Amino acid sequence: VQTCALPICGGCQMPIGAHATLIGNLIELNAIVIALDGGRAVRASARGSVDRADELGVTVADRLLADGASDILAAIVQGRTPAETPRP
């Protein structure tokens, strides 16, 4: 889960959530980035081998970024309101 947050520069103060479930020898990782007002959310998920958990986290982070999570986080860092956040 931590590996998912690192590539998107998220920390404990950012609206990022992740949940990992162990299914036999597989991990299912679900993650979300949410605008502060809740008006926009980007979700991503993937499933992979326990032996490649770090790669799975990076994959999910890359999907979040590709789907617009970076815009949400940049708006928060820059102090913009959600209405000013560019949408893909």
Side-chain angles (χ1 to χ4, degrees), residues 4 8 29-31 44-47 55-65:
C4 177
I8 57 178
L29 179 60
N30 297 290
S45 62
R47 187 182 282 193
E55 290 176 35
L56 184 66
V58 171
T59 296
V60 170
D62 287 345
R63 289 179 185 173
L64 288 169
L65 293 171

Side-chain angles (χ1 to χ4, degrees), residues 27-49:
I27 295 176
E28 182 177 79
L29 179 60
N30 297 290
I32 187 169
V33 176
I34 307 169
L36 291 179
D37 71 347
R40 184 166 176 222
V42 177
R43 293 174 177 84
S45 62
R47 187 182 282 193
S49 169

Side-chain angles (χ1 to χ4, degrees), residues 35-40 75 80-87:
L36 291 179
D37 71 347
R40 184 166 176 222
R80 294 192 312 234
T81 63
E84 298 170 330
T85 305
R87 295 180 186 245

Side-chain angles (χ1 to χ4, degrees), residues 2-20:
Q2 186 177 17
T3 305
C4 177
L6 293 175
I8 57 178
C9 299
C12 61
Q13 299 294 319
M14 290 299 209
I16 300 169
H19 181 264

